[in-house]
Each structure stands twice: as structure tokens, then as C-alpha cells.
Amino acid sequence: MGRQSPYPEELRRGAVALYRAGGGKRTYAAVAAELRITGETLRTWVRKDTGANGSAVRGGSGPESQADGLARLRAENARLLKVEKEWQLEREILRQAAAYFAREVK
């Protein structure tokens, strides 16, 4: 039995869909950098998904490409929410620092 992955299943599915939505024009490393994971991790997820589905679905039209697009948007949304939390934390730290230095100046 292997160890449990620190990444949620939704992130995995979204990352695979995002990679496949590129239609082979983007590298594993490029997509992985957006999601802040390693290229090797993404490559492993794509291989496992390809094995589970029988073959990779690339391009095309219909419900599968819509599902890929939705998964890509969900992954992007999750990334943006994470970045927003980091930004809010930085902003709060700067606010507290400004208040501290304002008290010292008086």
C-alpha cells in the first residue's frame, strides 16, 4: 500500500484535463508550473488517467471537451483562490507593519 497523496482528486482531474486541453501544444512542465506541481507528477497523473480510460481523449468536440474545459476552469479557479489567500495574508502583514511603524514614529 502506497502513501496517500497530498493532492486532492479534484486537482488531479483538473490538471489532467488542463494538460489535455492544450492539445499537445504545451509541455508537462508548462502546465505543472501553473498549478505549482512538478512536471513528473503531472506526467504520472496523465499516464494513470490514460490507463484507467483506455486511451487519452485529445481535442474533439462534444461532452468530453466540455468536461475538459470545465475541469480546466475549476483547476484555474482553485489556483486563483489559493493566490488570493496568499495575497490577503501578505496584505494583512503589511497593514500590521504599517501600524507598528506609525506608532513608533509618534
Side-chain angles (χ1 to χ4, degrees):
M1 179 183 284
R3 67 181 178 92
Q4 187 168 345
S5 173
Y7 303 106
E9 184 63 32
E10 184 175 306
L11 174 67
R12 292 182 202 190
R13 282 186 268 121
V16 170
L18 182 61
Y19 172 75
R20 288 192 177 146
K25 294 180 182 175
R26 299 182 63 203
T27 63
Y28 289 114
V31 175
E34 283 183 20
L35 301 171
R36 296 184 178 169
I37 59 174
T38 65
E40 186 61 26
T41 298
L42 177 60
R43 187 180 71 80
T44 301
W45 293 348
V46 171
R47 280 181 152 178
K48 285 182 180 179
D49 187 63
T50 301
N53 292 334
S55 66
V57 177
R58 295 187 185 252
S61 61
E64 292 170 356
S65 60
Q66 287 179 356
D68 287 346
L70 182 59
R72 180 183 55 77
L73 290 173
R74 285 184 176 157
E76 177 70 6
N77 189 38
R79 185 186 69 80
L80 291 173
L81 288 171
K82 181 179 177 185
V83 169
E84 182 184 16
K85 283 183 181 179
E86 291 174 3
W87 175 79
Q88 287 175 347
L89 179 62
E90 289 173 5
R91 184 175 170 198
E92 184 60 31
I93 290 169
L94 289 172
R95 182 180 295 135
Q96 291 174 2
Y100 173 78
F101 288 117
R103 277 182 268 150
E104 263 191 23
V105 172
K106 288 183 182 180

